[in-house]
Amino acid sequence: MGPSTTERASKANTPDTPERDSLTGKLAELAAGYTGTGFVDQLFGAAGVVLEVDAPEAGTHRVTLRYANGNPGDGTLVSRRFTLTVNGTTDIPVLFPTTSSWTTWSTVTVAVPLAAGANQLDLHTGPENNGPINLDHIVVTAAEEIT
């Protein structure tokens, strides 16, 4: 038997993967094409992912989220709405377009203001959320970096 979700969630595979910090969804290995040792499966309802990010300097940063948004079983293949809360104060809406299946991965990037030093990013469902996504990894870069 493998490690529990809590044990997996605390292990660092690569920087900025959901497995690294805390999650309130479930970690899975069911769909092909993910990176690391798993992905957050069916991020929906009260589920969320919280990452601690250390920024060398204050300013706008890019947060790129790799996700899958397939048919959740009810026939609704639509974009999904989530909220990224930065340091508990700034709410940024994040729209995840459809990817046609749970094994087709894509990315979405949003600009976020980070303070110099420690920051907290909290990706969670909000009042306008309309269904689940799978989340593979999150990458944070300075806005002037080319990705």
Side-chain angles (χ1 to χ4, degrees), residues 26-113:
K26 57 183 178 174
L27 195 63
E29 301 167 347
L30 306 172
Y34 60 86
T35 60
T37 60
F39 60 92
V40 181
D41 185 31
Q42 300 292 304
L43 190 58
F44 185 57
V49 174
V50 177
L51 293 174
E52 300 296 327
V53 176
D54 188 32
E57 56 187 54
T60 301
H61 289 69
R62 283 192 205 115
V63 175
T64 301
L65 304 108
R66 187 168 189 261
Y67 72 96
N69 177 9
N71 183 338
D74 63 3
T76 56
L77 193 58
V78 298
S79 296
R80 306 295 182 192
R81 295 179 296 272
F82 282 75
T83 300
L84 181 65
T85 301
V86 181
N87 294 323
T89 59
T90 304
D91 288 339
I92 299 168
V94 182
L95 186 65
F96 294 94
T98 62
T99 60
S100 75
S101 77
W102 293 112
T103 58
T104 302
W105 299 91
S106 188
T107 60
V108 64
T109 301
V110 294
V112 299

Side-chain angles (χ1 to χ4, degrees), residues 114-126:
L114 295 181
N119 293 269
Q120 184 180 74
L121 302 179
D122 179 0
L123 179 70
H124 56 277
T125 59

